[in-house]
Amino acid sequence: MDSWTGPDVPHLTDGLTPAPPLRLFDTTTGDVHPITTGPTARMYVCGITPYDATHLGHAATYLAFDLLGRVWRDAGLDVLYVQNVTDVDDPLLERAVATGQDWREVAARETELFRTDMAALRVLPPDFYIGAVEAIPLVVDLVEQLKASGQAYEVDGDLYFSVHSDEHFGSVSGLDRAQMLEIFGERGGDPDRPGKKDPLDCLLWQAARPGEPSWDTSLGAGRPGWHIECTAIALAHLGMSFDVQGGGRDLVFPHHEMGASEAQVVTGEWPYARAYVHTGMVGLDGEKMSKSRGNLVFVSTLRDAGVDPMAIRLALLGHHYRTDWEWTDADLTGAQERLAAWRAAVAATAGPPAEATVEAIQLALTDDLNAPAALAAVDRWASDRRLRGGDDTSAPGLVRDAVDALLGVLL
């Protein structure tokens, strides 16, 4: 599956003080700690199920991991970034039936709209952008390995993973069994299905159902389960113990927990990912913004109304990636005012020295991707230029390049 075309990223001057090591909040440890990588930083971020357009909750998540990739690149690292598209799944099929459309047309249309939104927001594209459908051979191979080792079993033609075959099961989320059972049923699991060895065991391969898409494989006709899709893609393109598994906080359990256990059992290695980084939830009208509730603000709708995508980006970056927050019109108004002020500042022929400002942006982002603090550093420089001027002719260009390279905002 094709990704989208990414923007060129400016290289910042070598005269700046090196940024401190990156620190991130790791869900598994419950604290902020340094994230060390090899020369190539490896990241997997769970992608969309394309049955509706990109809402601001989606965009906030992908912007957070875009910042992470930019911080790594600024530190001189190569970045290997993988993202999936769950282009066959129950919600997509249900939407296609409800609207009288072919599920493939829905998936293709909404995936393309997502690409367009990401490109407009200047999100750097993944190196591998893999759909569940094209990953079916990878999934089948992985499930066959689990079957051969005795960690997969059949229930009425469907194949399930025995979660307790992984001694580390539960270490990603830190939830107890009662909490897991409650959440599992709410987030796509089937704890009450008869015939399962354990209510928490998760679906690996769903046998063909009448009127639903299926593929003929060595497992029989059917389609992949949700968790194994991401596991197969990540192992194929990143291998074990990659640096960051990312996504929204609602993916901690069961999705990231199950995927980690599947990988750890099939490879006999630990850990699947070295750190788990999750974003907060964006709300509207007092509730989490979600497709099921229908309380959505779409990136494409704002763009079609003439809103500058850079204002949308700034509005989202105005909130720390781990916080839960609620979208209001004031977010966008404030971002538009900030964007205008910044553009006026970098359009000047000179300004106050900017090296300390750039270093403040770097310092903020290496401190658990503190985008609001980074924005405040640019605000201070723009205010100083407006109030006191300055005679450093290189400063406006340096700020413009830093805002582009580190924050992804084109001025």
Side-chain angles (χ1 to χ4, degrees):
M1 180 175 289
D2 293 331
S3 187
W4 56 92
T5 301
D8 293 330
V9 178
H11 175 72
L12 299 181
T13 176
D14 296 326
L16 298 169
T17 301
L22 172 66
R23 300 166 67 249
L24 290 173
F25 184 89
D26 183 351
T27 299
T28 60
T29 62
D31 63 6
V32 176
H33 62 77
I35 302 295
T36 57
T37 75
T40 298
R42 297 174 295 157
M43 173 170 62
Y44 187 95
V45 178
C46 294
I48 61 167
T49 301
Y51 64 94
D52 214 335
T54 315
H55 61 70
L56 293 179
H58 289 142
T61 290
Y62 298 115
L63 259 63
F65 294 103
D66 184 56
L67 288 184
L68 173 53
R70 289 171 181 273
V71 169
W72 274 334
R73 289 177 174 87
D74 183 55
L77 300 175
D78 292 325
V79 178
L80 181 56
Y81 176 22
V82 181
Q83 187 180 133
N84 73 304
V85 182
T86 304
D87 55 355
V88 58
D89 199 19
D90 289 342
L92 170 60
L93 301 179
E94 291 164 4
R95 178 59 58 86
V97 169
T99 58
Q101 302 172 80
D102 186 284
W103 65 273
R104 288 159 293 200
E105 294 176 359
V106 176
R109 181 184 66 247
E110 299 303 334
T111 300
E112 178 56 27
L113 183 54
F114 175 77
R115 291 190 192 98
T116 304
D117 286 337
M118 292 297 100
L121 293 174
R122 304 187 80 248
V123 173
L124 300 176
D127 299 283
F128 294 96
Y129 192 51
I130 311 295
V133 171
E134 65 183 301
I136 286 175
L138 298 175
V139 171
V140 170
D141 180 64
L142 208 57
V143 175
E144 289 283 17
Q145 293 180 59
L146 288 168
K147 281 182 64 181
S149 59
Q151 281 97 15
Y153 64 94
E154 184 176 330
V155 178
D156 299 327
D158 297 337
L159 293 173
Y160 279 84
F161 172 62
S162 295
V163 294
H164 293 294
S165 60
D166 176 28
E167 63 178 320
H168 299 285
F169 178 70
S171 62
V172 173
S173 64
L175 299 175
D176 61 32
R177 183 173 176 83
Q179 292 170 315
M180 288 182 180
L181 285 169
E182 180 181 359
I183 296 173
F184 190 48
E186 295 171 351
R187 297 180 181 170
D190 54 357
D192 299 323
R193 181 171 185 180
K196 291 172 59 175
K197 294 180 179 179
D198 187 289
L200 291 172
D201 289 348
C202 63
L203 184 68
L204 294 170
W205 184 259
Q206 179 175 292
R209 308 291 203 260
E212 294 187 3
S214 64
W215 287 262
D216 290 323
T217 73
S218 61
L219 301 172
R223 57 184 170 94
W226 176 28
H227 315 304
I228 194 70
E229 163 203 341
C230 284
T231 306
I233 294 170
L235 288 179
H237 295 285
L238 296 173
M240 284 293 285
S241 297
F242 57 90
D243 297 297
V244 168
Q245 164 75 79
R249 195 175 61 239
D250 55 345
L251 297 183
V252 177
F253 189 88
H255 189 50
H256 288 168
E257 191 79 71
M258 300 297 187
S261 287
E262 290 166 348
Q264 286 154 188
V265 166
V266 82
T267 64
E269 301 175 26
W270 183 87
Y272 174 55
R274 297 173 64 235
Y276 290 80
V277 179
H278 295 100
T279 59
M281 300 291 104
V282 180
L284 179 71
D285 300 330
E287 292 187 298
K288 169 194 165 186
M289 197 177 291
S290 69
K291 294 177 182 178
S292 61
R293 291 189 174 96
N295 59 335
L296 303 174
V297 177
F298 295 114
V299 172
S300 55
T301 301
L302 293 175
R303 291 172 49 223
D304 289 345
V307 177
D308 191 321
M310 294 301 92
I312 301 172
R313 185 170 178 118
L314 277 175
L316 296 174
L317 294 180
H319 301 270
H320 192 272
Y321 80 95
R322 281 198 289 119
T323 62
D324 294 341
W325 57 280
E326 186 163 325
W327 173 266
T328 67
D329 291 341
D331 286 292
L332 186 56
T333 300
Q336 290 169 321
E337 293 171 352
R338 172 176 267 153
L339 182 62
W342 287 11
R343 283 178 169 164
V346 301
T349 56
E355 287 78 6
T357 297
V358 177
E359 290 165 9
I361 298 170
Q362 292 172 319
L363 181 64
L365 294 180
T366 56
D367 182 19
D368 196 26
L369 304 179
N370 190 346
L375 302 190
V378 183
D379 287 341
R380 289 191 295 271
W381 181 85
S383 178
D384 285 347
R385 192 216 62 81
R386 180 175 58 83
L387 294 175
R388 288 181 282 277
D391 56 7
D392 187 337
T393 56
S394 67
L398 178 56
V399 171
R400 182 182 59 248
D401 285 350
V403 168
D404 185 345
L406 296 169
L407 296 173
V409 177
L410 182 65
L411 300 179

